[in-house]
Amino acid sequence: MDIVVDNLTKLYGPQRAVDGISFRVKTGEILGFLGPNGAGKTTTMKAITTYLNPTEGTVSVGQFNIHDNPDEVKRSIGYLPENNPLYTEMGIIDYLRFVAELQGIEKSKVNDRIREMIQVCGLEDEKHKKIGELSKGYKQRVGLAQALIHDPQVLILDEPTSGLDPNQIVEIRELIKKIGREKTVILSSHILAEVEATCDRILIINKGKIVADGTARELRKKSEGQEIVKVKIEDGEKNEIFKALQALGSVSTVDFIKADDNAFEVQSKPEMTCRKDIFKLCVSNGWTIMEMTPVETTLEDIFRDLTLN
């Protein structure tokens, strides 16, 4: 079930929390939704889930529209908000039964759905506990179970790994990837490495506008104007090597990585590569290349470049 966001705008007085954004999430796709605090991520998610009405624009979930068919949209979506509100005095099974009844699941199917959610979300060993007795990681699993219990085609997850330890993050990541094979997922997170490891595509929003949309590889490619390599060269005097690297026609800048080491960061000129020239330079001077490593632009670099202005 596809999600189509069309010219979505939300005003709070003079402030444009979301400013005319449009995008599509395809069935079976996990979309990473990124942005700094106040960028409009949660507002967009609340509009998609019909928690608030946009000032302009619309959202369609499958053939249903948030204005004309809000109840059908709600039935199609499972939502895990950032604060994961749970009734901590309830047992896991009782809570999931309560949510199943709220979602209108047929009584004859409720027990089967509870058993399936306990198995899918890895709650078997904890199922007889009260929610308040669970670790943060297991509480997140319960939150995912409540979002999935009515078998929605769309899953909206707002900071699902917030506050988890590294082991719990890996567990929840694998669970989301498994779920994403069959459902359409929008995942918001501040953990950029987590988004890159989990999501098929990344959308970055800043000041209510979309500033980037693509896979991690595509975003890197767009941001990489010049090749940067780290090189370590031995059997030569470092200042002589430095000057020789600077003199290469394909090189823009050279910097020492360490003052007492023959290691350099070399940046090529736009649309050029300097690696072959460095290799030939070392051969002609009898120098030994101990390391030549391309420096990849990280998702963190891209995020900062797009959201700090």
Side-chain angles (χ1 to χ4, degrees):
M1 185 174 279
D2 289 9
I3 302 170
V4 179
V5 176
D6 184 21
N7 194 35
L8 189 70
T9 299
K10 181 62 180 177
L11 302 180
Y12 292 103
Q15 180 186 2
R16 286 182 173 265
V18 179
D19 191 3
I21 66 172
S22 299
F23 63 91
R24 176 189 288 266
V25 191
K26 296 180 181 178
T27 303
E29 184 176 31
I30 302 177
L31 176 74
F33 198 35
L34 302 179
N37 291 331
K41 303 187 304 298
T42 298
T43 299
T44 301
M45 288 183 164
K46 286 182 176 180
I48 294 171
T49 57
T50 75
Y51 271 58
L52 58 78
N53 289 319
T55 307
E56 297 176 19
T58 190
V59 178
S60 296
V61 178
Q63 74 261 38
F64 305 118
N65 183 286
I66 61 170
H67 299 299
D68 302 328
N69 317 100
D71 290 339
E72 294 298 333
V73 170
K74 290 175 185 176
R75 291 188 189 100
S76 303
I77 290 176
Y79 181 38
L80 177 61
E82 182 178 2
N83 59 358
N84 189 13
L86 298 170
Y87 294 109
T88 55
E89 297 84 6
M90 296 182 74
I92 293 173
I93 293 174
D94 290 339
Y95 174 71
L96 292 179
R97 179 172 285 108
F98 169 69
V99 174
E101 291 172 357
L102 285 179
Q103 292 287 2
I105 298 173
E106 293 179 26
K107 287 187 177 180
S108 61
K109 296 180 180 178
V110 168
N111 287 337
D112 288 341
R113 288 300 298 163
I114 291 172
R115 279 193 291 268
E116 184 177 350
M117 289 304 95
I118 285 172
Q119 191 273 325
V120 167
C121 295
L123 291 165
E124 186 65 38
D125 293 338
E126 310 289 324
K127 65 182 179 182
H128 295 300
K129 290 184 178 180
K130 288 186 176 181
I131 293 172
E133 298 171 350
L134 302 175
S135 68
K136 181 71 182 291
Y138 277 105
K139 286 178 181 175
Q140 289 298 89
R141 289 171 181 266
V142 175
L144 281 171
Q146 68 80 24
L148 289 166
I149 197 162
H150 58 299
D151 196 22
Q153 294 303 301
V154 172
L155 196 58
I156 309 291
L157 307 174
D158 195 356
E159 300 286 346
T161 58
S162 176
L164 302 187
D165 67 36
N167 291 332
Q168 293 168 337
I169 287 173
V170 171
E171 291 171 358
I172 297 297
R173 176 205 301 169
E174 294 306 314
L175 179 56
I176 292 169
K177 289 170 75 172
K178 180 180 178 182
I179 292 166
R181 296 183 193 129
E182 300 175 352
K183 303 183 184 298
T184 308
V185 180
I186 296 180
L187 164 66
S188 171
S189 178
H190 283 101
I191 306 173
L192 303 188
E194 187 63 25
V195 169
E196 187 168 5
T198 308
C199 300
D200 304 308
R201 182 170 134 236
I202 296 167
L203 188 149
I204 301 177
I205 185 171
N206 187 42
K207 298 179 181 177
K209 291 182 176 290
I210 294 172
V211 293
D213 185 0
T215 65
R217 182 183 294 272
E218 288 169 346
L219 296 184
R220 282 198 191 92
K221 190 172 182 180
K222 288 177 184 177
S223 70
E224 287 173 350
Q226 295 167 291
E227 175 189 68
I228 301 174
V229 293
K230 289 182 179 180
V231 294
K232 186 173 182 179
I233 300 171
E234 294 190 352
D235 302 325
E237 199 275 321
K238 65 179 181 181
N239 290 319
E240 181 185 359
I241 296 171
F242 180 85
K243 291 177 182 177
L245 289 170
Q246 280 188 319
L248 292 175
S250 57
V251 170
S252 172
T253 60
V254 183
D255 292 303
F256 286 109
I257 294 176
K258 293 182 180 179
D260 58 348
D261 198 358
N262 284 22
F264 311 88
E265 185 172 273
V266 183
Q267 184 168 335
S268 67
K269 291 179 179 177
E271 309 303 323
M272 297 182 72
T273 178
C274 59
R275 284 176 286 177
K276 186 180 289 186
D277 289 342
I278 293 172
F279 179 79
K280 289 179 178 178
L281 175 69
C282 292
V283 170
S284 64
N285 286 278
W287 299 333
T288 303
I289 299 176
M290 303 301 294
E291 178 185 356
M292 187 184 294
T293 309
V295 179
E296 276 198 344
T297 304
T298 67
L299 192 55
E300 285 83 357
D301 295 331
I302 297 166
F303 183 86
R304 282 195 299 271
D305 288 344
L306 292 171
T307 60
L308 282 178
N309 49 33

